[in-house]
Amino acid sequence: MSSLHKSRIADFQDVLKEPTIALEKLQELSFSGIPCEGGLRCLCWKILLNYLPLERASWTSILAKQRELYSQFLREMIIQPGIAKANMGVSREDVTFEDHPLNPNPDSRWNTYFRDNEVLLQIDKDVRLCPDISFFQRATEYPCLLILDPQNEFETLRKRVEQTTLKSQTVARNRSGVTNMSSPHKNAAPSSLNEYQVLPNGCEAHWEVVERILFIYAKLNPGIAYVQGMNEIVGPLYYTFATDPNSEWKEHAEADTFFCFTNLMAEIRDNFIKSLDDSQCGITYKMEKVYSTLKDKDMELYLKLQEQNIKPQFFAFRWLTLLLSQEFLLPDVIRIWDSLFADNSRFDFLLLVCCAMLILIREQLLEGDFTVNMRLLQDYPITDVCQILQKAKELQDSQ
């Protein structure tokens, strides 16, 4: 470890040990990349995403309260109607004439259960994350004992998926353009559960934990529920928290990820709502902003893309909606997110990152025809994310 890196770690530790965290100082440090040693990144992200307050003294009580709240969500939302747990104070309610599996009443608990299955199957199709690394296929050290405890009658989402007979065409909930969001240079995810091996009873793979987080989020946010692409947002968050070297934090990676994901989605959820696409907070406006910024910074390149009728929808939709999580390998995505989360106007900075990505390949784009340029933009050639972030910072400073 270089002396410079040791010095950076010490700088972070100094900021984080203060009774009240100096947010501006933490943002300034984090913008240049957060060291992964000692769980620094996990802690910084929790502060930057407004999960932990700036007052250290309140961390213990807030974490205990939030983690218990998440346990309550599990108790309430991952359970089959008609099955309850006597020792949790809920008596079994047998199927009755008023509420049965064929009840058409939209308020029926059975009807809700079947609607939830549609969302669950879509999540299950999408949750095979980062096939280029084995992490999400491996067993977590901290399976959810509340659900896996043989003494209770909670149904796991894995069993629920296996038992459902819904046809796949009923679960194609999606928004335009998101279906083809996987990058060509990424390996295709396994197509069946047989390839993505299911672990024995009593064990849980990390992807199952992510599936549960997304399902709970969908239940708590019925207005948006689950839209394809959210899986790519929650994945890097969970990976970061579940690999924390501090076992006390790692044990609660699921709950902590859920709340950080919820906070992050509160800032970017408009990208996933099709009806808002053309509003000032929608994704179309943001894509056009990438091009208007490019026009200011590099008119020649802007005119070339316009001349070839290369619209930002062809590439920037995925870049912006998924916070670049499909354009780079996971460690590089995490490094980009350090800077995004640390910037006060973080998603304005994302627009500048996208603009920087275009400018850094300007010579290739100026020489290429439509086909060549589309291939460049959909399978971005530069892998040095520090170079991209440095260029984006230059664009920001020149505004």
Side-chain angles (χ1 to χ4, degrees):
M1 187 187 297
S2 70
S3 58
L4 179 60
H5 192 67
K6 286 180 182 175
S7 174
R8 278 187 58 73
I9 291 173
D11 289 342
F12 275 93
Q13 290 171 336
D14 288 345
V15 170
L16 292 169
K17 72 183 181 186
E18 291 295 322
T20 300
I21 307 298
L23 181 60
E24 206 169 292
K25 180 64 175 171
L26 181 64
Q27 289 172 323
E28 181 185 335
L29 285 171
S30 300
F31 188 84
S32 300
I34 305 170
C36 57
E37 288 85 359
L40 287 174
R41 175 174 281 125
C42 309
L43 181 54
C44 290
W45 278 17
K46 285 166 185 157
I47 296 169
L48 295 172
L49 290 172
N50 304 310
Y51 178 46
L52 287 177
L54 299 180
E55 293 73 30
R56 281 178 55 92
S58 61
W59 286 0
T60 301
S61 61
I62 284 175
L63 287 170
K65 178 183 174 184
Q66 294 298 88
R67 289 162 179 173
E68 174 51 36
L69 177 60
Y70 186 74
S71 293
Q72 187 62 34
F73 292 156
L74 295 180
R75 292 187 189 101
E76 291 177 4
M77 296 174 198
I78 302 187
I79 186 170
Q80 181 179 357
I83 298 178
K85 184 127 176 357
N87 66 7
M88 297 186 92
V90 185
S91 61
R92 177 180 174 85
E93 294 179 21
D94 291 321
V95 172
T96 65
F97 178 75
E98 289 78 16
D99 193 9
H100 53 82
L102 300 180
N103 188 343
N105 185 338
D107 297 326
S108 158
R109 288 193 304 155
W110 282 103
N111 205 307
T112 299
Y113 180 75
F114 293 137
R115 282 200 311 272
D116 289 346
N117 275 357
E118 296 182 10
V119 175
L120 176 58
L121 285 188
Q122 180 66 49
I123 294 172
D124 193 71
K125 283 166 53 182
D126 295 341
V127 84
R128 311 302 195 259
L129 296 157
C130 299
D132 48 333
I133 64 171
S134 62
F135 170 79
F136 288 97
Q137 302 175 44
R138 296 203 303 263
T140 172
E141 298 172 56
Y142 301 101
C144 183
L145 298 180
L146 177 65
I147 292 173
L148 296 180
D149 179 0
Q151 297 301 312
N152 71 44
E153 298 180 38
F154 283 119
E155 177 185 52
T156 66
L157 294 185
R158 184 202 305 176
K159 286 180 181 158
R160 191 160 164 176
V161 168
E162 289 168 354
Q163 290 166 2
T164 187
T165 57
L166 288 174
K167 298 188 184 300
S168 61
Q169 60 262 34
T170 66
V171 295
R173 179 181 171 88
N174 193 319
R175 51 128 46 246
S176 62
V178 181
T179 305
N180 299 316
M181 285 199 299
S182 60
S183 180
H185 78 269
K186 298 267 186 174
N187 296 325
S191 58
S192 72
L193 279 174
N194 292 332
E195 294 175 69
Y196 216 89
Q197 189 175 11
V198 175
L199 299 174
N201 287 338
C203 297
E204 281 191 310
H206 289 292
W207 67 262
E208 295 182 83
V209 181
V210 173
E211 180 171 75
R212 192 159 54 235
I213 292 168
L214 289 168
F215 182 74
I216 296 293
Y217 179 83
K219 287 281 291 175
L220 288 170
N221 296 272
I224 184 172
Y226 170 77
V227 179
Q228 192 178 38
M230 292 179 184
N231 52 316
E232 306 293 352
I233 301 295
V234 75
L237 288 174
Y238 176 74
Y239 174 84
T240 299
F241 296 161
T243 55
D244 193 317
N246 183 335
S247 59
E248 288 182 25
W249 288 90
K250 182 159 62 172
E251 180 179 357
H252 300 285
E254 178 176 352
D256 294 347
T257 299
F258 170 81
F259 288 108
C260 287
F261 172 69
T262 298
N263 289 354
L264 181 56
M265 281 301 301
E267 298 185 49
I268 65 172
R269 60 178 285 159
D270 291 350
N271 294 345
F272 291 88
I273 302 175
K274 183 169 172 51
S275 62
L276 295 177
D277 278 1
D278 296 322
S279 69
Q280 192 162 348
C281 60
I283 190 67
T284 302
Y285 175 82
K286 292 169 187 170
M287 289 188 291
E288 289 171 352
K289 192 78 185 291
V290 172
Y291 263 24
S292 65
T293 304
L294 180 65
K295 184 178 180 181
D296 289 340
K297 305 295 182 184
D298 192 334
M299 176 65 82
E300 184 183 8
L301 179 55
Y302 168 78
L303 291 174
K304 175 71 172 183
L305 296 177
Q306 290 286 81
E307 175 194 320
Q308 293 185 342
N309 200 28
I310 295 178
K311 301 181 184 301
Q313 289 88 330
F314 298 162
F315 61 93
F317 181 93
R318 187 176 75 207
W319 292 6
L320 294 168
T321 305
L322 302 187
L323 309 185
L324 297 169
S325 62
Q326 284 286 284
E327 312 316 310
F328 304 99
L329 296 175
L330 184 57
D332 296 322
V333 172
I334 289 169
R335 170 62 192 90
I336 291 171
W337 286 16
D338 286 345
S339 295
L340 288 184
F341 295 166
D343 197 83
N344 266 331
S345 51
R346 47 177 146 246
F347 302 112
D348 286 340
F349 185 70
L350 176 61
L351 300 178
L352 293 172
V353 173
C354 294
C355 191
M357 289 170 67
L358 294 172
I359 292 173
L360 286 171
I361 57 170
R362 73 183 305 274
E363 300 306 325
Q364 294 151 279
L365 290 171
L366 289 172
E367 290 176 11
D369 60 18
F370 176 87
T371 304
V372 169
N373 287 346
M374 283 300 299
R375 193 176 298 122
L376 281 171
L377 295 170
Q378 294 189 345
D379 191 6
Y380 191 74
I382 294 178
T383 57
D384 183 355
V385 296
C386 290
Q387 180 189 8
I388 295 168
L389 291 169
Q390 183 179 352
K391 184 64 179 178
K393 186 70 170 73
E394 289 173 13
L395 295 176
Q396 186 182 54
D397 292 342
S398 68
Q399 284 184 333

